[in-house]
Amino acid sequence: MSDVVFERLNGAQTMGEFDQIQEVYVAAFPDYSLADHRMRTERQAASPGFETVTARVDGVLVGFAYGLPLSARSTWWEGLEPAAGEDFVAETGSRTFAVIDLAVLPAHRGRGLGRRLMAELLGGRSEERATLATNPNKRALQEMYERWGWRKAGRVPGGEGETQPVFDLYVIDLR
């Protein structure tokens, strides 16, 4: 495999490359709605602190990861089971970075690219921790995150229009 080139993008730059991002997204998540993905990403990309890291091989987008800090009004932890104390779920707008999507083209998986994308995205972040949501039925994916040092915080209900009825939330310390 040729050298991978990583690039950081802000929200506006992400939307400028969104057609390419969606090509990778549909290959990585074939059962998910592209319309929902576009709607969510447009909203998130307009939020302060939104950031994307892309991975290209020979100029072709082969993977991406993006996320944003949870706002002080975030409902991310709402309905968390097992319940956690206020000291865990309280958000300030600068405490927790939420990884929203990590996607790698199937032909480029198994080579450490996902882990490198995650490290690029989270490296240098000022937040004290990061979180992500997973499909509880994707145990192999959860085991991958656990190997990378993430720990399960619990399960939350999915909201209206979400891709899953429930999500397992994971956290990792950044500092």
Side-chain angles (χ1 to χ4, degrees):
M1 178 164 77
S2 299
D3 288 339
V4 177
V5 176
F6 295 98
E7 182 179 15
R8 289 185 178 280
L9 307 173
N10 64 26
Q13 293 166 324
T14 298
M15 295 316 298
E17 296 193 18
F18 197 66
D19 289 343
Q20 293 176 58
I21 287 170
Q22 278 212 306
E23 289 176 18
V24 174
Y25 183 88
V26 75
F29 306 107
D31 298 331
Y32 291 174
S33 163
L34 286 178
D36 174 65
H37 178 243
R38 178 175 292 278
M39 181 187 69
R40 284 186 298 107
T41 307
E42 285 174 347
R43 184 183 74 248
Q44 293 161 349
S47 298
F50 181 91
E51 186 172 44
T52 299
V53 173
T54 59
R56 294 182 181 278
V57 173
D58 297 328
V60 176
L61 186 69
V62 297
F64 67 88
Y66 59 76
L68 67 163
L70 294 179
S71 77
R73 299 178 316 277
S74 175
T75 59
W76 185 267
W77 307 106
E78 200 168 282
L80 182 67
E81 291 295 332
E86 184 64 22
D87 59 326
F88 182 82
V89 301
E91 292 299 337
T92 64
S94 60
R95 180 182 189 197
T96 307
F97 185 82
V99 176
I100 302 300
D101 279 319
L102 168 65
V104 175
L105 288 176
H108 292 270
R109 292 180 186 162
R111 303 176 192 176
L113 184 56
R115 188 173 192 161
R116 289 176 64 195
L117 275 163
M118 188 71 79
E120 289 285 331
L121 180 64
L122 298 179
R125 297 288 324 170
S126 61
E127 295 85 4
E128 67 186 64
R129 65 185 181 180
T131 184
L132 57 80
T134 66
N135 177 337
N137 300 314
K138 303 284 184 179
R139 190 63 197 137
L141 181 65
Q142 292 182 340
E143 289 171 353
M144 176 188 76
Y145 288 127
E146 290 165 3
R147 282 192 309 274
W148 295 356
W150 293 79
R151 63 190 183 283
K152 187 174 176 181
R155 183 169 285 180
V156 295
E160 185 176 329
E162 296 278 358
T163 58
Q164 299 297 318
V166 296
F167 292 93
D168 287 343
L169 299 183
Y170 281 75
V171 294
I172 194 167
D173 294 328
L174 297 179
R175 297 191 254 149

